[in-house]
Amino acid sequence: MIVLGIETSCDETAAAIVTDAREIRADVVLSQLDDHTPYGGVVPEIAARAHLEHLDGLIRRAMENAGLGFGDIDAVAATGGPGLIGGVIVGVMTAKAIAAARKLPFVAVNHLEGHALTARLTDDVPFPYLLLLVSGGHCQLLVVEGVGQYRRLGTTIDDAVGEAFDKTAKLLGLGYPGGPLVEKAAGRATNPGRFDLPRPMVGRPGCDFSFSGLKTAVRRHVEELGKPLSEEDQADLAAAFQNTVAEVMADRCARAIRQFKEAHPQGSALVVAGGVAANKTLRARLSSLAEQQGMTFVAPPLRLCTDNAAMIAWAGIERLRLGQTDPLNFAPRPRWPLDPTAKPAIGKSGVGSGVKA
């Protein structure tokens, strides 16, 4: 089975060709970073227009890289949500057009499920497993019991962790996007223990997250130091923030592991996915935690942590194996929770908030 995957949920336009033998035949991504950096964040209208302008060319390039023609494709999978609705519409309509013209099955993939199942593409992780899904818009702990079967153990009650990285980077004067810039600055720290930051939710019952208080504490330190910050101040404060996030994540995951083992004693893997999963400090901390708990730690290669179409194609393959396809009248979804039975989190709701999913 050979599937064309399309990803247009936010600010990366991507196309990929993946086989059911876990072979990524082509994987092309066009970042819109330069388009959005002047605004300090993603502008939905600019993102949608960029997807519309570049998607066709990226699909052609993916086909050329794979050495295939449309006659060799068995199905088309595209992100159907959640995401910025303008971009999602571009990807879905393109996929529908290809499917209709070639009489191919169409699969609308939940973007979050694409991240959730990446570990099965890269490492063939068996169900069930525990997943920490962390990105600019989402922060959740889920039990992955099967394709389309997710049980949420915890989520953020305010900011998603990627959003907290972006806002912290802005406070420190580092720019956008926040994740890699904070990590880079933290690597230059000479005194990472210089600033004492709160560790929200650490030691509290349950598996929920909170990052708004941590972000506020960073802002207070910045105000006390006075702008512009020196490079030393930037580095030490970035390191303090990054280490605190890793500690919070480890505490929340430790509690989730206990719940996971009670319900699924046969489960043995802790998986981290999403854009923030590219952070090396977080990966190291969670790898250590998994080893302490007698679990296998799985993190996709850095390229497959951020948004990409290979994960969408693979999620499509997982669903096609179960005989699941979508009609061509599928309506793109700006919101699409993995666990629709989970109770709403107490906190803010809106774009950029992990509460929304």
Side-chain angles (χ1 to χ4, degrees), residues 9-283:
S9 67
C10 192
D11 60 338
E12 278 94 16
T13 311
I17 307 292
V18 178
T19 76
D20 59 356
R22 295 184 170 83
E23 179 186 9
I24 301 175
R25 298 282 295 273
D27 179 23
V28 294
V29 180
L30 177 66
S31 172
Q32 300 175 10
L33 179 60
D34 291 342
D35 296 329
H36 300 285
T37 295
Y39 305 97
V42 179
V43 180
E45 178 66 17
I46 292 175
R49 290 179 180 274
H51 291 311
L52 187 61
E53 181 179 354
H54 297 293
L55 182 57
D56 288 354
L58 284 176
I59 292 173
R60 284 195 297 271
R61 195 197 314 171
M63 302 292 284
E64 291 170 359
N65 290 353
L68 300 173
F70 283 106
D72 301 308
I73 302 300
D74 297 303
V76 186
T79 296
L84 301 177
I85 193 61
V88 174
I89 288 172
V90 171
V92 167
M93 295 304 293
T94 301
K96 286 180 180 180
I98 295 171
R102 291 287 173 172
K103 296 182 171 55
L104 297 174
F106 163 70
V107 182
V109 172
N110 184 319
H111 176 83
L112 304 181
E113 183 162 52
H115 283 300
L117 298 177
T118 299
R120 288 174 53 79
L121 167 63
T122 59
D123 294 82
D124 196 15
V125 178
F127 298 123
Y129 53 87
L130 180 63
L131 170 68
L132 172 64
L133 178 58
V134 280
S135 69
H138 306 278
C139 185
Q140 304 176 60
L141 276 161
L142 303 123
V143 177
V144 183
E145 298 174 336
V147 178
Q149 300 176 45
Y150 303 92
R151 182 165 59 88
R152 197 183 76 193
L153 302 182
T155 186
T156 178
I157 62 174
D158 41 57
D159 294 344
V161 64
E163 182 181 5
F165 267 96
D166 284 340
K167 291 180 178 178
T168 294
K170 186 175 182 179
L171 287 169
L172 297 181
L174 296 174
Y176 175 86
L181 293 175
V182 168
E183 184 174 16
K184 184 177 180 179
R188 300 193 300 266
T190 57
N191 186 5
R194 175 181 164 197
F195 297 99
D196 184 26
L197 297 176
R199 287 147 177 79
M201 307 296 281
V202 167
R204 295 272 297 273
C207 304
D208 286 339
F209 303 86
S210 172
F211 295 102
S212 63
L214 175 58
K215 180 186 61 185
T216 299
V218 171
R219 178 174 57 79
R220 288 173 179 164
H221 279 295
V222 170
E223 290 172 350
E224 291 171 1
L225 291 166
K227 288 189 175 183
L229 298 181
S230 68
E231 289 189 3
E232 181 181 2
D233 290 338
Q234 287 179 326
D236 289 347
L237 197 45
F241 171 81
Q242 180 175 260
N243 292 338
T244 299
V245 167
E247 183 175 338
V248 170
M249 289 292 182
D251 176 84
R252 302 288 85 191
C253 285
R255 291 181 174 275
I257 287 171
R258 289 194 287 271
Q259 291 188 32
F260 174 69
K261 286 185 172 181
E262 289 176 1
H264 300 282
Q266 77 279 25
S268 61
L270 169 63
V271 175
V272 61
V276 181
N279 183 280
K280 295 181 179 64
T281 297
L282 177 60
R283 290 164 82 105

Side-chain angles (χ1 to χ4, degrees), residues 290-304:
E291 184 178 359
Q292 295 168 10
Q293 298 289 334
M295 299 184 73
T296 301
F297 177 68
V298 179
L302 298 183
R303 179 177 175 85
L304 296 181

